[in-house]
Amino acid sequence: MAYRGHWFYEALREIPTIADRTALTYWYVLKDGVTEDGIDLDTMTRIVETDRQPTRVQRMLATFMRNYPSFETEELKELTTRYIPDPAPKDKELPSVDDYMAMYEEALAVLEGKKKTGLHKAYLVWTVLHLAFMNAPLRVGELASIEVDNPEADNWLNTETDVITISKHKNFKTQGVRELPVKGFSEEWARHARIVFGTIPPYLIVSRKEVPYKASDLSTTLRRIGISSQTLRPTITTAEVPESTYEERQELARRMGHTMGTQMTKYYRGKYTN
């Protein structure tokens, strides 16, 4: 077959991080942009920009050049880091940042005493959305597990330094501990918590009886009031990504606890699937 013995395919097979079957996938995706002795920029650009998942092709090309740096040029490097959105899928529209901001402002009005009812709901909405607007839209399991001023806990908020430490999360094996600076958050959160409970609860988010939530229960509660991490996290990403630099996208992915591949293929869509 055409790929057997071709220098590009054989070079792909020498990359230790990809299997032979994966090397064949790389070959079929990238082969038209490869000449006898190099990479054709115009053709490779067309291949990347017209694929249904451009970031997938960008990662393939970046992997090849990382292992064979003599092929890298400034133009090809820019091609692998430039933001290229996936074609929009035919799914449901995400809530907008404005939708969430309206919920946030209503919750803040309740907590500031401008309304008489719904204190606990307002506390939940304010806490979750305030963090989201600080580029820390946490997963429900992470939100439910955060203890306050307990450095022995896996996940905790240090109210003195305004840093949330997430040591137990979905992608710990690949990403390790995440530390999220949330400057100014702790003081405001504590003030609102005192209004709702009369004291500072031991967890960031607790029930009306000051009992920590199970992740599944918190997920159900938040969905009932119009917040779902399945839509909130993509909404924040969708709002942030178009105007952000490559480094800013890296930082947002880190704070959210996933990869840039996930950021592009699952979180930046402008739409979502139930």
Side-chain angles (χ1 to χ4, degrees):
M1 295 185 180
Y3 60 87
R4 291 178 177 168
H6 192 281
W7 74 265
F8 183 59
Y9 174 67
E10 298 303 330
L12 290 169
R13 291 183 65 196
E14 292 296 319
I15 297 176
T17 56
I18 62 176
D20 283 354
R21 183 177 293 275
T22 305
L24 189 56
T25 300
Y26 277 45
W27 158 265
Y28 278 116
V29 172
L30 300 175
K31 63 181 176 63
D32 289 342
V34 176
T35 65
E36 285 300 317
D37 55 3
I39 299 173
D40 181 77
L41 175 63
D42 291 339
T43 304
M44 192 62 75
T45 300
R46 175 182 57 77
I47 290 170
V48 172
E49 291 180 344
T50 58
D51 196 87
R52 287 198 56 78
Q53 292 183 303
T55 51
R56 175 187 71 122
V57 186
Q58 287 175 306
R59 292 197 302 275
M60 289 180 181
L61 181 57
T63 298
F64 174 75
M65 292 193 300
R66 185 166 58 250
N67 285 272
Y68 296 97
S70 62
F71 288 93
E72 183 178 82
T73 65
E74 286 300 317
E75 292 82 2
L76 286 170
K77 182 178 180 180
E78 190 273 339
L79 177 61
T80 66
T81 58
R82 175 160 49 92
Y83 166 68
I84 305 172
D86 292 354
K90 297 178 181 179
D91 300 324
K92 295 184 179 180
E93 295 291 335
L94 282 170
S96 69
V97 171
D98 288 342
D99 294 331
Y100 284 123
M101 182 57 72
M103 292 179 65
Y104 175 83
E105 290 176 348
E106 181 178 354
L108 187 59
V110 172
L111 293 168
E112 290 179 345
K114 296 176 182 177
K115 293 187 177 182
K116 301 295 184 180
T117 60
L119 272 178
H120 185 261
K121 174 183 173 181
Y123 147 80
L124 291 177
V125 171
W126 184 92
T127 302
V128 174
L129 293 185
H130 196 82
L131 287 173
F133 294 148
M134 298 183 83
N135 279 347
L138 301 174
R139 298 182 179 96
V140 171
E142 295 166 355
L143 287 165
S145 67
I146 295 172
E147 298 187 41
V148 177
D149 289 330
N150 180 8
E152 300 300 317
D154 290 325
N155 301 335
W156 69 291
L157 166 67
N158 187 328
T159 60
E160 292 186 3
T161 62
D162 269 337
V163 173
I164 294 175
T165 299
I166 306 291
S167 300
K168 186 176 181 180
H169 61 92
K170 180 180 179 181
N171 294 325
F172 174 79
K173 288 184 178 180
T174 56
Q175 299 186 339
V177 176
R178 289 152 53 210
E179 290 190 345
L180 310 178
V182 286
K183 184 177 181 181
F185 172 81
S186 299
E187 184 178 353
E188 290 185 78
W189 171 83
R191 184 171 66 252
H192 297 324
R194 288 191 186 96
I195 291 171
V196 178
F197 304 108
T199 185
I200 302 298
Y203 280 73
L204 180 69
I205 294 181
V206 293
S207 69
R208 287 183 174 84
K209 296 181 179 180
E210 299 183 48
V211 176
Y213 281 96
K214 293 180 180 179
S216 58
D217 293 337
L218 179 58
S219 179
T220 298
T221 299
L222 291 176
R223 282 201 307 271
R224 285 174 178 168
I225 60 180
I227 300 174
S228 165
S229 66
Q230 290 183 324
T231 57
L232 175 59
R233 286 161 60 85
T235 292
I236 295 299
T237 306
T238 298
E240 291 290 327
V241 162
E243 303 300 324
S244 62
T245 64
Y246 182 74
E247 289 74 18
E248 288 168 341
R249 298 199 297 277
Q250 283 183 310
E251 174 60 14
L252 178 60
R254 184 195 70 81
R255 290 176 69 91
M256 291 178 68
H258 59 212
T259 65
M260 290 190 72
T262 296
Q263 182 185 76
M264 292 293 116
T265 58
K266 295 183 180 178
Y267 282 81
Y268 179 74
R269 290 182 180 269
K271 299 179 182 269
Y272 74 99
T273 305
N274 279 340

